[in-house]
Amino acid sequence: MALIQCGFFAQTLGLSMSMNVVIPERSYGIGVEAGGAQTGDKFPVLYLLHGLSDDHSIWLRRTSVERYAAEYGIAVVMPEVHRSFYTNMKSGLDYWTFVSEELPHVAQSLFPISGKREDSFAAGLSMGGYGAMKLGLRSPEKFAAVASLSGAMDILAFDHEGSPLAAKEYKWIFGSKEEAAGSDDDLFALAERAAAAGVSLPKLYQCCGTEDFLYAHNVRFRDHVRSLGIALDYEEGPGDHNWGYWDEHIQRVLAWLPLRGGKV
């Protein structure tokens, strides 16, 4: 795999941003199995999102995602979004517009990756799991599958003491809890609207460890989505909010993706 550390100017945000990108090559060298999911001259792509306290470098530093992706011939784009919750902030910048519109456009213009729905996927952990699921529910026409690992699925539950978001930070991002409820940042409301409209959604995957502090959030979202008749692949089992769990489950996500070329 080729590794590109990319700095670029984001028009949406009005500042320089960073992303790490891994792109398949014809040969990967000793000890790495090469896959073959390339279709035409463009590679399928996974937009892989980071958590609240991390950045664009974290997936490469804490997992072997580059080696895992090589087996499937898939490119991986890992952007930086700070502590934004992938949201057009109430008192801040338009990170949702950045990640859902500008980022794919920039990545496709710079690298040989496909822009087709059937070749485009999103996944993430914690805050990034929330972001990936929001991409799937708000932009279903752009993604064939999305996956949440230990996702922060219930933003309404973060408006209280002990939340990883301070009260002032929550207000900067979402406004009040009353403003967040039912908004386009509320995954529960997004699922309800998608079900009512009969939207053709991407494949959805969700997993969480039973010892994770977000486990109850994930169970509520799972039950809510299934009550609406939305198909959801769900996994749970022993595990906490840590990289041992995410390193294992990103491998499962890559195997689960509906890649057109499959795994060689």
Side-chain angles (χ1 to χ4, degrees), residues 9-259:
F9 187 78
Q11 298 284 345
T12 303
L13 304 175
L15 76 163
S16 295
M17 296 290 285
S18 299
M19 61 178 161
N20 282 340
V21 181
V22 292
I23 302 286
E25 298 178 87
R26 188 176 300 276
S27 177
Y28 300 154
I30 295 172
V32 179
E33 180 184 350
Q38 185 175 7
T39 56
D41 60 349
K42 302 290 186 180
F43 290 100
V45 58
L46 173 65
Y47 294 92
L48 189 55
L49 310 182
H50 68 73
L52 183 67
S53 61
D54 299 324
D55 64 12
H56 62 289
S57 72
I58 199 68
W59 278 102
L60 289 175
R61 291 164 51 205
R62 300 292 171 83
T63 77
S64 293
V65 68
E66 178 182 355
R67 177 164 56 87
Y68 307 149
E71 298 182 33
Y72 298 90
I74 187 173
V76 184
V77 174
M78 293 160 278
E80 176 181 30
V81 299
H82 309 118
R83 294 173 64 91
S84 67
F85 261 81
Y86 303 88
T87 294
N88 285 351
M89 304 169 72
K90 287 290 184 180
S91 301
L93 302 178
D94 289 346
Y95 284 92
W96 165 253
T97 303
F98 166 70
V99 77
S100 64
E101 298 179 17
E102 185 172 8
L103 175 70
H105 175 75
V106 170
Q108 291 161 27
S109 71
L110 294 176
F111 309 112
I113 60 177
S114 175
K116 297 179 180 178
R117 180 185 193 250
E118 58 265 34
D119 296 326
S120 300
F121 314 99
L125 69 92
S126 196
M127 180 185 80
Y130 163 85
M133 193 63 68
K134 185 157 68 169
L135 284 170
L137 294 175
R138 283 187 65 175
S139 300
E141 75 284 356
K142 296 180 180 179
F143 297 93
V146 299
S148 169
L149 288 67
S150 311
M153 312 304 280
D154 188 357
I155 61 167
L156 303 185
F158 279 85
D159 185 32
H160 59 76
E161 187 177 353
S163 164
L165 282 176
K168 64 179 180 180
E169 195 172 18
Y170 189 97
K171 291 180 180 178
W172 292 340
I173 299 170
F174 300 112
S176 67
K177 184 175 180 178
E178 290 71 28
E179 289 175 291
S183 72
D184 283 343
D185 297 318
D186 180 352
L187 296 185
F188 289 74
L190 289 174
E192 290 173 9
R193 289 198 281 273
V199 173
S200 177
L201 291 171
K203 285 185 63 178
L204 305 180
Y205 172 93
Q206 180 190 2
C207 67
C208 192
T210 51
E211 287 71 49
D212 197 304
F213 78 101
L214 292 175
Y215 174 66
H217 297 207
N218 278 265
V219 170
R220 285 199 300 272
F221 183 76
R222 175 202 66 190
D223 293 347
H224 181 70
V225 166
R226 287 181 171 172
S227 75
L228 297 169
I230 295 174
L232 172 69
D233 293 325
Y234 176 84
E235 288 187 50
E236 66 172 56
D240 210 330
H241 206 73
N242 59 42
W243 282 100
Y245 184 86
W246 301 321
D247 184 48
E248 175 186 350
H249 283 79
I250 193 59
Q251 297 176 67
R252 298 188 188 187
V253 167
L254 286 164
W256 168 85
L257 293 178
L259 291 165

